[in-house]
Amino acid sequence: MSQQYLNEKNFAVVTGEADIAAQFSALDWDKLVFTGGSETGKKVLSAAAPNLTPVVLELGGKNPAVVLPDANKQMTAAKIARSRSGNSGQICLDTDYVLLPTDQLDEYVRLITAQLAQAFPTYINNSEYSAIINDRSYDRILGMLTEARQRGTRLITINPNNELVPDVKRRLIPLTLAINPDRDLQIARNEIFGPILSIFTYDSLDEAIAFINSHEKPLAMYLFGRSSRHLNQIISQTSSGGVDINELSLHAGSHSMGFGGVGYSGMGRYKGGKTGFETFSNQKSVYKQGVLAKYTTRLMVPIHNKRNEKLLKRMLGL
């Protein structure tokens, strides 16, 4: 179908598994763009290195949402709950974990649970709720939950209709809140990329910032609150690919700002107007000499005398 409209030399789609991707990454491209997980991104970068192929990586990471004490609770809970349940949490920009003031934990748990019960009163045969992409991912997510449960983590499964989920046949896993999981658990260390939302509590903003900085740099960070001083403190003392204030993910759709990660969450920018154009362009400089050509040639010849030296320094601005 694509050949009917586009020349295959300009645009082509190649499908395949990891072996095809490995061969593709090792080809001598002018530029290579990869979107996916951080560990796979390392392999892509390694495959491109022998050809010195420049690589743009848009990866993921543990994207935090920091909720300040003065945040609008109803709005914040609605945005976080509905965003995390979209595509069952299988979006690289999703909130991976939330940092909440300790004394507001119970209220936010109640609000998030209510929001999800309203959005997804049922999971079975619900076309609005996404299945996990494949069996491997399904088993990985269940493994995270099993490990957390065995370690005594407080898990809140949001299942308002008391259905028989998780459902292995349909690969359905309801959104589960994990409250203050131990730091060495998979859900606390690794990107979840699934319907689990870890919630950690903090007693001071410095504590929350230190927690964020104890992880690899995320693709996105979401801040909810009104205090400009506190918002600016978090932004200035942490590093992330992008930041949304009182919103989720919209910075990635901006046509005026470049979107991408930093460190473990990626490198380079290829979305966003001028930024995207420059990413796929080579700034090749071309200089054409005019009437001074015969004079500059004489100056470049290694005849060392004071007159030539003086002229050359003048031309070079020395």
Side-chain angles (χ1 to χ4, degrees), residues 11-207:
F11 183 89
V13 176
V14 179
T15 60
E17 299 296 331
D19 57 335
I20 300 298
Q23 295 179 48
F24 188 90
S25 302
L27 296 176
D28 188 11
W29 300 105
D30 290 330
K31 179 157 287 186
L32 189 62
V33 178
F34 170 77
T35 300
S38 299
E39 293 304 313
T40 306
K42 292 180 183 179
K43 296 177 181 178
V44 172
L45 194 60
S46 177
N51 294 318
L52 295 179
T53 300
V55 178
V56 175
L57 300 176
E58 183 187 308
L59 309 177
K62 295 189 73 64
N63 304 319
V66 184
V67 180
L68 296 177
D70 63 354
N72 181 313
K73 295 183 179 65
Q74 190 70 44
M75 179 197 73
T76 300
K79 288 181 180 292
I80 291 175
R82 293 177 181 265
S83 171
R84 188 54 172 169
S85 58
N87 202 36
S88 287
Q90 300 169 106
I91 302 173
C92 64
L93 279 168
D94 269 347
T95 302
D96 188 279
Y97 65 94
V98 180
L99 289 163
L100 288 174
T102 300
D103 61 356
Q104 297 182 4
L105 172 62
D106 291 340
E107 185 173 6
Y108 270 103
V109 167
R110 178 181 60 80
L111 290 171
I112 291 173
T113 301
Q115 282 290 330
L116 284 168
Q118 179 183 358
F120 300 106
T122 179
Y123 295 104
I124 304 298
N125 298 321
N126 185 343
S127 61
E128 297 298 319
Y129 192 77
S130 301
I132 304 303
I133 186 66
N134 54 37
D135 291 338
R136 179 181 177 185
S137 295
Y138 180 87
D139 292 339
R140 177 184 61 81
I141 296 167
L142 282 189
M144 287 183 170
L145 289 171
T146 299
E147 179 192 46
R149 187 176 295 109
Q150 291 173 345
R151 290 279 293 275
T153 306
R154 179 188 173 194
L155 298 178
I156 302 172
T157 301
I158 302 175
N159 184 11
N161 206 32
N162 295 316
E163 296 171 293
L164 295 177
V165 285
D167 185 325
V168 63
K169 183 178 180 180
R170 298 178 175 87
R171 295 198 303 274
L172 293 176
I173 301 176
L175 187 73
T176 300
L177 307 180
I179 311 301
N180 283 318
D182 291 342
R183 302 289 182 89
D184 62 334
L185 292 176
Q186 295 181 66
I187 55 176
R189 291 185 293 108
N190 303 325
E191 180 184 4
I192 295 173
F193 208 73
I196 304 172
L197 181 63
S198 297
I199 298 178
F200 298 93
T201 56
Y202 69 87
D203 295 315
S204 70
L205 194 55
D206 288 338
E207 180 186 349

Side-chain angles (χ1 to χ4, degrees), residues 294-303 307-312 315:
K294 60 182 179 180
Y295 301 106
T296 55
T297 301
R298 176 167 58 86
L299 290 172
M300 297 304 172
V301 175
I303 299 175
R307 181 171 179 272
N308 280 356
E309 182 179 342
K310 184 177 180 180
L311 287 172
L312 188 56
M315 290 178 61

Side-chain angles (χ1 to χ4, degrees), residues 151-291:
R151 290 279 293 275
T153 306
R154 179 188 173 194
L155 298 178
I156 302 172
T157 301
I158 302 175
N159 184 11
N161 206 32
N162 295 316
E163 296 171 293
L164 295 177
V165 285
D167 185 325
V168 63
K169 183 178 180 180
R170 298 178 175 87
R171 295 198 303 274
L172 293 176
I173 301 176
L175 187 73
T176 300
L177 307 180
I179 311 301
N180 283 318
D182 291 342
R183 302 289 182 89
D184 62 334
L185 292 176
Q186 295 181 66
I187 55 176
R189 291 185 293 108
N190 303 325
E191 180 184 4
I192 295 173
F193 208 73
I196 304 172
L197 181 63
S198 297
I199 298 178
F200 298 93
T201 56
Y202 69 87
D203 295 315
S204 70
L205 194 55
D206 288 338
E207 180 186 349
I209 291 172
F211 187 92
I212 295 170
N213 291 334
S214 69
H215 294 88
E216 299 286 357
K217 298 174 182 178
L219 181 61
M221 182 166 57
Y222 305 117
L223 310 180
F224 292 89
R226 298 182 177 92
S227 171
S228 297
R229 180 170 65 87
H230 289 153
L231 292 170
N232 290 331
Q233 181 182 350
I234 300 171
I235 293 172
S236 63
Q237 295 181 14
T238 61
S239 179
S240 61
V243 177
D244 284 58
I245 298 175
N246 295 320
E247 195 49 86
L248 293 165
S249 306
L250 291 191
H251 71 284
S254 170
H255 295 293
S256 59
M257 298 186 297
F259 165 68
V262 57
Y264 203 73
S265 60
M267 61 178 67
R269 302 284 191 274
Y270 70 95
K271 296 178 182 176
K274 182 181 178 182
T275 299
F277 176 81
E278 290 178 344
T279 294
F280 291 104
S281 301
N282 174 43
Q283 297 182 8
K284 180 171 64 176
S285 58
V286 178
Y287 178 84
K288 180 181 179 181
Q289 182 59 278
V291 296

